[in-house]
Amino acid sequence: VSCQVLTQDATGNMIRSPKGKVVVIDGLKDYIVVDKEEVLLIYPKSKEQDIKEVLTKVKDQFGDQLA
């Protein structure tokens, strides 16, 4: 966790967001949350192996600067 996080009924999540940002999560279990400047990724940990493929699709559809 690289940010300030407030959770309620949320477990097993990996959260990355810019330092100084406050992230509030309720009812989320076993997810990866990555908040970059122009892309917000919320993805189940069980599909972690698919993230690279999804980021490639983001690049293809929206431009190289986003992935």
Side-chain angles (χ1 to χ4, degrees), residues 19-58:
K19 188 174 182 171
K21 190 167 204 173
V22 175
V23 177
V24 180
I25 296 182
D26 183 11
L28 200 62
K29 182 178 179 188
D30 294 327
Y31 269 74
I32 298 168
V33 179
V34 180
D35 183 7
K36 295 178 90 178
E37 187 173 321
E38 296 188 10
V39 176
L40 173 62
L41 173 82
I42 303 172
Y43 223 75
K45 277 186 173 180
S46 62
K47 295 176 131 187
E48 182 176 8
Q49 69 279 0
D50 298 336
I51 290 176
K52 283 186 181 182
E53 181 181 329
V54 169
L55 291 177
T56 299
K57 288 179 183 179
V58 168

